[in-house]
Amino acid sequence: MKKLELKIAFTEFDNENEMSSSEQDLLQKARNAGGLAYAPYSNFHVGAALLLENGVIVTGNNQENVAYPSGLCAERVAMYYAGAQYPDVAIKTIAITCKSKTFHVGEPLSPCGGCRQAMSEYEMRHKSNIRVILMGETGKIRVVDSIADLLPFMFKAEELKNN
Ligand code: THU
């Protein structure tokens, strides 16, 4: 028996001004998208802005439904739109922000497991790491350079193969 440890790497910025202007712009686009979310059940508005390798920026927000599981997170709305419109183009960076109508979010958003899995599929499909920028309404900004740092021991395509 052996107890092992796994390390992940992430960067934190105290505020947006420490980031490049293009990343500040991506965060602003995520915020704007979050403002258009359809979230009457949770009152929790999430926005995602993806920068594709061809320079196009695709945004999305959470879309809820009275039959709760039929809704979809902001990240997947944006990623699946990008996948549908630009199937051969990798995602370079994803900025994700959130805002609640009922409380103040002062911590970076932590994307749900399903969205982490969908991001990992995108990385594997295009063999290209995705930088993920996470923010709440205010507070520090957390950044990872690959989904591997958000989803250790992720399920990979090789696991479907018969060795
Ligand atoms: N949500 C997202 O859009 N992204 C996440 O990573 C976490 C949760 C949405 C789903 C639902 O509409 C609301 O936030 C509350 O869970």
Side-chain angles (χ1 to χ4, degrees):
M1 202 270 274
K2 243 200 281 185
K3 192 163 183 175
L4 304 170
E5 280 182 21
L6 188 64
K7 279 192 185 163
I8 61 151
F10 59 96
T11 310
E12 279 186 353
F13 296 86
D14 287 331
N15 68 66
E16 260 175 273
N17 302 331
E18 296 174 0
M19 310 187 75
S20 70
S21 58
S22 61
E23 293 196 339
Q24 289 182 38
D25 177 59
L26 207 60
L27 272 167
Q28 188 53 44
K29 288 200 162 61
R31 238 178 252 124
N32 294 346
L36 302 173
Y38 178 64
Y41 305 105
S42 70
N43 285 316
F44 193 75
H45 293 233
V46 185
L50 320 183
L51 171 64
L52 306 185
E53 215 156 48
N54 62 4
V56 170
I57 292 175
V58 168
T59 61
N61 43 41
N62 49 330
Q63 297 293 318
E64 297 187 349
N65 189 279
V66 63
Y68 288 8
S70 302
L72 197 60
C73 292
E75 298 90 319
R76 273 177 283 171
V77 168
M79 274 187 288
Y80 293 160
Y81 180 84
Q85 301 298 317
Y86 306 97
D88 301 324
V89 185
I91 298 173
K92 278 179 73 171
T93 311
I94 304 182
I96 312 163
T97 62
C98 61
K99 186 179 168 88
S100 169
K101 281 193 171 168
T102 54
F103 62 95
H104 180 83
V105 187
E107 283 291 313
L109 174 110
S110 204
C112 82
C115 288
R116 294 178 199 214
Q117 185 66 38
M119 288 182 223
S120 92
E121 184 80 21
Y122 231 101
E123 279 199 350
M124 286 186 285
R125 178 175 168 187
H126 294 286
K127 297 184 177 51
S128 174
N129 287 357
I130 302 175
R131 182 169 162 90
V132 186
I133 303 172
L134 303 164
M135 192 178 173
E137 283 176 65
T138 58
K140 61 188 180 230
I141 299 136
R142 190 168 293 147
V143 180
V144 294
D145 286 321
S146 166
I147 193 64
D149 289 316
L150 280 182
L151 194 62
F153 292 117
M154 71 182 79
F155 184 65
K156 293 188 175 140
E158 296 86 70
E159 296 182 41
L160 287 179
K161 287 181 197 148
N162 221 343
N163 294 316

